[in-house]
């Protein structure tokens, strides 16, 4: 080979050797080389496992997919570029051979309702929002609408209500719809929706899975029935997670169990403290024994792992009081995300639920005095002290 060719080829395409890396490395290759054309043909035809092109498979993200599928008790998982792209993929797979109608929980992440209204609706997919806590009304809505997909969240964003996934799965099955559950707030360590009858489970891996505020990613977890549709849609559209994000998510997940235990325990302490604070009108926390869905939480969640997200309403407060309180925070980070090791505060009215009209927010119970906290792994005393000084001034 001439030097110009050597520059291109030397050092590449070696067999990994007789060693096994202890953790999965980052594979950045866009495509993969096989010894024979027959083998490449088998891999491309999915008769033999193996990566061939980065829009189809990647060994780094495949390792993450294997891990999440195992934790969720799923047939397979697909790592995606964001939580929203996982939701998008789930809806496409659910509706590809079903009626183009969706029934969604009335209080869900703002971008999810925006996607349904602003993207799916113009393409002819109608969405009806219904209160998942009123099961009789929800069932009637599903009977009337006859949807192709039902979309709910394990712990709703931002009011922390907990729908009875098992009962909704029955309703969904009877209606012939696919049940999609956004399990981001709970993680498979708290709830495994497929075991309760869901068909597709979505995660924003950006949150608890990666856990350190340095990843944007998602994972779509599926039963066997939807596997082929997702594979086809995903291979064609390419909403895949990058190998670097896959590596960071996999690395983050190794401590997810420890983090969740600590975060859930911290959240219980912070929620109980907030409940007694004179400036706090009401606390929304799935681990509260007097929570309106406490019976469902006791049935579906493991003991002492009730979630680490909470929200509270400031007495006689509004935008001004929330802004002042948030600006006084010293340790708790004011930022748009959740599930990280550090405690975070978010004002739903200007962030996660900004796209909803103010009247709609009020109607759903997302008041202008509502502040959402993602409780981190710090010492609980420090989280409480910071909230105390911010609320007191
Ligand atoms: C419940 C829930 N689902 C999905 C998403 C979207 O995730 P991503 O930002 O990774 O697209 C979010 C983001 O905050 C969320 O809170």
């Amino acid at each position: 080979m001439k030097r110009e060719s050597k520059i291109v080829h030397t050092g590449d395409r070696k067999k990994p050797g007789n060693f096994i890396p202890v953790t999965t490395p980052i594979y950045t290759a866009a495509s993969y080389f096989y010894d024979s054309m027959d083998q490449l043909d088998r891999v491309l035809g999915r008769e033999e496992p193996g990566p061939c092109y980065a829009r189809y498979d990647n060994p780094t993200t495949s390792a993450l997919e294997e891990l999440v599928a195992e934790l969720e008790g799923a047939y397979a998982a697909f790592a995606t570029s964001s939580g929203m792209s996982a939701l998008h993929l789930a809806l496409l797979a659910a509706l590809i051979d079903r009626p183009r109608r969706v029934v969604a929980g009335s209080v869900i992440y703002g971008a999810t309702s925006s996607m349904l209204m602003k993207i799916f609706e113009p393409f002819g997919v109608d969405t009806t929002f219904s209160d998942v806590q009123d099961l009789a009304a929800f069932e009637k809505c599903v009977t009337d609408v006859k949807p192709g997909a039902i979309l709910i969240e394990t712990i709703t964003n931002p009011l922390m209500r907990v729908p009875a996934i098992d009962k909704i799965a029955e309703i969904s099955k009877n209606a012939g719809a696919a049940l999609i559950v956004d399990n981001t707030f709970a993680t498979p360590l708290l709830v495994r929706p497929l075991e309760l009858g869901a068909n597709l489970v979505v995660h924003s891996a950006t949150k608890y899975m990666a856990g350190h505020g340095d990843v944007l990613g998602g994972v779509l977890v599926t039963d066997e029935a939807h596997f082929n549709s997702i594979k086809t849609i995903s291979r064609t559209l390419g909403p895949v997670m990058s190998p670097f994000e896959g590596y960071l998510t996999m690395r983050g997940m190794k401590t997810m169990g420890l983090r969740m235990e600590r975060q859930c325990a911290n959240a219980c302490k912070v929620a109980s403290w907030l409940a007694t604070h004179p400036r706090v009108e009401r606390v929304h926390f799935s681990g509260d024994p007097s929570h309106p869905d406490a019976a469902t939480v006791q049935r579906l969640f493991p003991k002492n792992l009730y979630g680490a997200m909470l929200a509270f309403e400031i007495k006689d407060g509004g935008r001004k009081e929330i802004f002042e309180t948030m600006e006084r925070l010293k340790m708790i980070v004011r930022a748009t995300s959740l599930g990280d090791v550090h405690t975070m505060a978010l004002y739903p009215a200007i962030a996660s639920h900004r796209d909803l009209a103010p009247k709609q927010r009020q109607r759903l119970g997302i008041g202008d005095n509502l502040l959402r906290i993602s409780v981190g792994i710090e010492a609980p005393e420090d989280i409480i002290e910071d909230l105390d000084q911010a609320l007191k001034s």
Side-chain angles (χ1 to χ4, degrees), residues 91 95 99-104 116 120 125-129 141 145-151 180:
L91 282 162
L95 298 177
R100 308 275 145 80
R101 291 183 295 276
V102 177
V103 170
L116 289 164
F120 276 86
V125 178
D126 288 327
T127 298
T128 309
F129 293 94
C141 174
V145 171
K146 300 185 181 54
I150 294 176
L151 172 55
I180 305 170

Side-chain angles (χ1 to χ4, degrees), residues 203-322:
H203 286 278
S204 166
T206 316
K207 312 295 172 1
Y208 290 103
M209 286 190 167
H212 295 75
D214 49 10
V215 165
L216 183 77
V219 183
L220 170 59
V221 178
T222 182
D223 59 9
E224 191 174 354
H226 294 84
F227 175 79
N228 279 327
S229 304
I230 299 172
K231 191 94 192 158
T232 305
I233 299 167
S234 170
R235 280 183 157 216
T236 313
L237 300 183
V240 293
M241 182 184 270
S242 86
F244 183 59
E245 312 282 298
Y247 165 80
L248 282 179
T249 306
M250 184 91 178
R251 182 183 157 112
M253 281 190 68
K254 296 195 190 300
T255 56
M256 189 170 75
L258 295 172
R259 286 187 279 110
M260 278 314 275
E261 270 178 31
R262 172 79 179 212
Q263 285 172 268
C264 290
N266 278 359
C268 279
K269 289 181 187 150
V270 174
S272 320
W273 175 81
L274 278 169
T276 61
H277 197 284
R279 282 201 67 206
V280 174
E281 177 83 47
R282 188 170 168 201
V283 180
H284 303 261
F285 175 54
S286 44
D288 180 352
S290 61
H291 188 278
D293 309 316
T296 309
V297 174
Q298 290 301 329
R299 194 173 76 247
L300 302 184
F301 286 54
K303 203 167 175 324
N304 293 329
L305 290 176
Y306 305 128
M309 295 295 300
L310 58 87
F312 64 94
E313 294 168 33
I314 294 190
K315 211 171 266 176
D316 303 321
R319 180 185 166 100
K320 180 173 164 288
E321 288 73 19
I322 296 275

Side-chain angles (χ1 to χ4, degrees), residues 103-118:
V103 170
S106 47
V107 184
I108 51 174
Y109 176 48
T112 308
S113 35
S114 291
M115 179 168 67
L116 289 164
M117 304 307 293
K118 294 183 180 162

Side-chain angles (χ1 to χ4, degrees), residues 106-166:
S106 47
V107 184
I108 51 174
Y109 176 48
T112 308
S113 35
S114 291
M115 179 168 67
L116 289 164
M117 304 307 293
K118 294 183 180 162
I119 300 171
F120 276 86
E121 197 166 297
F123 280 95
V125 178
D126 288 327
T127 298
T128 309
F129 293 94
S130 179
D131 181 3
V132 268
Q133 300 333 125
D134 183 346
L135 271 184
F138 193 82
E139 183 162 19
K140 178 162 184 333
C141 174
V142 171
T143 311
D144 293 347
V145 171
K146 300 185 181 54
I150 294 176
L151 172 55
I152 60 170
E153 294 174 352
T154 318
I155 302 175
T156 67
N157 186 359
L159 294 177
M160 316 307 160
R161 295 298 302 264
V162 179
I165 300 178
D166 48 353

Side-chain angles (χ1 to χ4, degrees), residues 5-6 10 28 42-43 82 120 156 194 230 234 327 371:
S5 306
K6 281 185 183 164
T10 306
T28 56
R42 286 197 301 277
V43 172
S82 68
F120 276 86
T156 67
L194 290 183
I230 299 172
S234 170
E327 279 172 2
L371 204 163

